[in-house]
Amino acid sequence: MTNTASEGQPERKRGSGARVVYESLRDEILDLSLAPGSPIDEVQLAERFSMSRTPIREALVRLAGEGLVETLPNRSTMVSNIDFLNLHTFFDAITLMYRVTTRLAAQNHVVTDLDIIRGHQAEFAAAVAAQDALAMIATNRAFHAAIAEAGRNPYYTALFLRLLDEGRRLLRLYYQSFQDQLPREFVDEHEAMIAAIAERDLDRSDRLARAHADQIVRQIQQFLARDTRQDIAL
Amino acid sequence: MTNTASEGQPERKRGSGARVVYESLRDEILDLSLAPGSPIDEVQLAERFSMSRTPIREALVRLAGEGLVETLPNRSTMVSNIDFLNLHTFFDAITLMYRVTTRLAAQNHVVTDLDIIRGHQAEFAAAVAAQDALAMIATNRAFHAAIAEAGRNPYYTALFLRLLDEGRRLLRLYYQSFQDQLPREFVDEHEAMIAAIAERDLDRSDRLARAHADQIVRQIQQFLARDTRQDIAL
DNA sequence: TGCATTCTATTTGTCGACAGGATACTTGAC
DNA sequence: GTCAAGTATCCTGTCGACAAATAGAATGCA
């Protein structure tokens, strides 16, 4: 059956072709649906989205600009690998962004910002309670994105979002490891950060953000360094 | 005469089309050869570079990804405006990147890094002596880029380079204002930073970077706030 | 004369097709 | 049997063309 494309297609609008492909591929890469290192075939994508190669290529160029795919000249583009050897630079950068955005949020937020932040925090708490790993990742990102927005510095916000997205692949690995016993601390830490921001306590916001980042980094590092060898008597 | 394209053209290599256009447009935007807000016509560029619209569009997509052009759907793309109202966020971010990269360079550099850094510093000093504004901007960027490279954190390096490039448009305005009396302090500050990095003095590197950033920010703010009204007796 | 509407023209978004390279496979020689 | 050269096939980079959408001009109406 190959005629599925010819009938039920919802008639995409004119300028939306590349965006749909971009967002779809982006989600699949960050959710590890597309494995790091796997090649990407343009004609295959063109068939799948039932459109020409032109918008596909535009989406790939955008993804390459964000480092999510790597394109070798005259050869197939592939999903970027996770650079485990240089993870410490990633942790260093994202820790700094946690701190800076939270500090700036304490300084520059307006009241409506707090409502938005609290809303995302409620959704995050619900996701933790429901033990929904994917929802936890999404709502956690939204929570910190809202804090960064309240900080009112687009440069920090953009870098932070990029780092959070790149970390999404790590978090996906991480959360998969313990779907049952979920980190309740994160919810409490978020609450403390909200309180510090609301009181416009810059230094406390900074400290809490740093502790939060350290907590996450430590957990992921423990996960990566875990020893799964079984103690078998020989 | 329209046959200029058919004869003297240096026969571009296969994969290089979009890169040439990207780099050319990027330089022209950052040098203010293309005024902020001016529209960009694809067919015009296609004629100018004597190639199809496809590589032109790819270059524009990349530039849009870096925020150097803004593309309105179904309408012409235009050179991004300089956001003078939010300059303080730019200054805040670039100051932090000055500090972080210099501090990390003091921590992580190897001896060959210092040679490279000193080489760029020599070129910068020569440009200052020659009162060549464009060369000053270029060599100054290379100097700080080398420091960032020595810091070994690609996330910081990438953001810093983006900020330096975006600042290139400001610096272009700034340096144009006093081609004669050039800021000799910058050369001395660079030397002090090199010394602190070489001695692996993290805190001193940080302080010097911050002072250097403050110096530049102050100069640009003074330039932007200058009062050019003439005192005419009425 | 001013405003709304229709028509036109320019420009973008998308498409199908072709050619240049690169990889993989086949064939031949040592 | 192994290595090298030639060949075939696949995929990307580029091209010219068409269609949708918007902006501007022209026209009609109050």
Side-chain angles (χ1 to χ4, degrees):
Chain A
M1 297 284 279
T2 58
N3 60 350
T4 55
S6 58
E7 188 174 313
Q9 221 62 357
E11 294 182 6
R12 289 168 286 93
K13 276 173 248 159
R14 180 173 160 80
S16 66
R19 198 185 57 245
V20 173
V21 179
Y22 166 78
E23 291 173 356
S24 299
L25 287 182
R26 186 168 163 281
D27 281 340
E28 291 174 18
I29 292 173
L30 295 178
D31 285 340
L32 293 178
S33 306
L34 285 175
S38 54
I40 296 180
D41 187 3
E42 295 181 1
V43 289
Q44 189 176 330
L45 287 177
E47 289 178 9
R48 174 181 153 196
F49 288 97
S50 64
M51 58 178 72
S52 167
R53 273 177 51 224
T54 307
I56 305 286
R57 280 182 67 83
E58 179 174 334
L60 290 180
V61 169
R62 279 211 259 169
L63 289 170
E66 299 180 20
L68 291 179
V69 302
E70 291 174 12
T71 166
L72 307 172
N74 284 328
R75 217 162 342 171
S76 83
T77 74
M78 47 174 37
V79 180
S80 294
N81 283 305
I82 302 178
D83 189 358
F84 287 102
L85 285 178
N86 290 322
L87 268 188
H88 60 102
T89 66
F90 170 78
F91 290 141
D92 190 37
I94 201 170
T95 299
L96 184 62
M97 285 304 108
Y98 268 113
R99 294 178 56 193
V100 171
T101 54
T102 309
R103 171 183 276 270
L104 281 181
Q107 182 177 322
N108 297 329
H109 74 86
V110 295
V111 279
T112 53
D113 291 329
L114 288 178
D115 297 334
I116 298 173
I117 294 171
R118 289 202 179 94
H120 290 301
Q121 162 69 354
E123 291 175 3
F124 176 70
V128 170
Q131 302 187 353
D132 184 345
L134 281 178
M136 287 175 61
I137 294 174
T139 53
N140 180 67
R141 179 189 189 278
F143 173 75
H144 288 290
I147 290 180
E149 284 291 335
R152 301 276 189 285
N153 189 316
Y155 300 101
Y156 295 149
T157 303
L159 176 58
F160 194 27
L161 288 182
R162 264 196 63 179
L163 291 168
L164 283 173
D165 282 337
E166 190 161 333
R168 208 164 115 183
R169 300 206 288 186
L170 284 175
L171 287 178
R172 188 88 187 85
L173 290 170
Y174 170 58
Y175 280 124
Q176 278 176 343
S177 67
F178 60 126
Q179 292 248 9
D180 317 75
Q181 175 186 344
L182 284 163
R184 172 74 200 170
E185 302 100 302
F186 289 167
V187 180
D188 300 332
E189 288 181 6
H190 280 187
E191 293 290 350
M193 289 167 66
I194 294 175
I197 291 172
E199 295 175 23
R200 299 196 183 278
D201 189 333
L202 303 192
D203 289 333
R204 184 153 62 96
S205 299
D206 192 330
R207 277 200 309 277
L208 288 172
R210 189 196 177 102
H212 189 55
D214 286 346
Q215 162 96 328
I216 295 171
V217 169
R218 208 179 312 122
Q219 300 254 22
I220 294 182
Q221 281 178 332
Q222 272 183 18
F223 164 68
L224 291 176
R226 74 196 183 285
D227 190 347
T228 57
R229 290 176 299 180
Q230 300 181 25
D231 191 9
I232 301 175
L234 295 177
Chain B
M1 295 283 279
T2 59
N3 59 351
T4 54
S6 58
E7 189 175 315
Q9 222 62 356
E11 293 182 6
R12 289 166 285 94
K13 277 173 244 159
R14 181 172 160 81
S16 67
R19 199 186 58 244
V20 172
V21 179
Y22 166 77
E23 291 173 356
S24 299
L25 286 182
R26 187 168 163 279
D27 281 339
E28 290 173 19
I29 291 173
L30 295 178
D31 285 340
L32 292 178
S33 306
L34 285 175
S38 54
I40 295 180
D41 186 4
E42 295 181 2
V43 290
Q44 188 176 330
L45 287 177
E47 289 177 10
R48 173 180 153 197
F49 289 97
S50 64
M51 59 178 72
S52 166
R53 272 177 53 222
T54 307
I56 305 286
R57 279 182 68 84
E58 179 174 334
L60 290 180
V61 169
R62 278 211 259 169
L63 289 170
E66 299 181 19
L68 291 179
V69 302
E70 290 174 13
T71 167
L72 306 173
N74 285 327
R75 217 164 342 178
S76 84
T77 74
M78 45 173 40
V79 180
S80 293
N81 284 305
I82 302 178
D83 189 357
F84 287 102
L85 284 179
N86 290 323
L87 268 188
H88 60 101
T89 66
F90 170 78
F91 290 141
D92 190 37
I94 202 170
T95 299
L96 184 63
M97 286 302 110
Y98 268 113
R99 294 177 57 192
V100 171
T101 54
T102 310
R103 171 183 276 271
L104 280 182
Q107 182 177 321
N108 297 329
H109 75 86
V110 296
V111 278
T112 53
D113 291 330
L114 288 178
D115 297 336
I116 298 172
I117 294 171
R118 288 202 179 95
H120 290 301
Q121 162 69 352
E123 292 176 2
F124 176 69
V128 170
Q131 300 187 353
D132 182 347
L134 280 178
M136 286 175 61
I137 294 174
T139 53
N140 180 66
R141 179 190 189 277
F143 172 75
H144 287 291
I147 291 179
E149 283 291 336
R152 301 275 187 286
N153 189 315
Y155 301 101
Y156 294 149
T157 304
L159 175 59
F160 194 27
L161 288 182
R162 265 196 63 180
L163 291 168
L164 282 173
D165 282 338
E166 190 160 333
R168 208 165 117 186
R169 300 205 287 185
L170 283 175
L171 286 178
R172 188 87 186 88
L173 290 170
Y174 171 57
Y175 281 125
Q176 278 175 342
S177 67
F178 60 124
Q179 292 248 8
D180 317 76
Q181 176 187 344
L182 284 162
R184 172 74 198 169
E185 302 100 301
F186 289 167
V187 181
D188 300 332
E189 289 180 6
H190 280 187
E191 293 291 349
M193 288 166 66
I194 294 176
I197 292 171
E199 294 174 23
R200 298 195 183 281
D201 189 332
L202 304 193
D203 289 334
R204 185 153 61 95
S205 299
D206 192 330
R207 276 200 311 276
L208 289 171
R210 187 194 180 104
H212 188 56
D214 287 346
Q215 163 94 328
I216 295 171
V217 169
R218 209 179 310 121
Q219 301 254 20
I220 294 182
Q221 281 179 330
Q222 272 183 16
F223 164 68
L224 290 176
R226 74 197 183 286
D227 189 348
T228 56
R229 291 175 299 180
Q230 300 180 23
D231 191 9
I232 302 175
L234 297 178

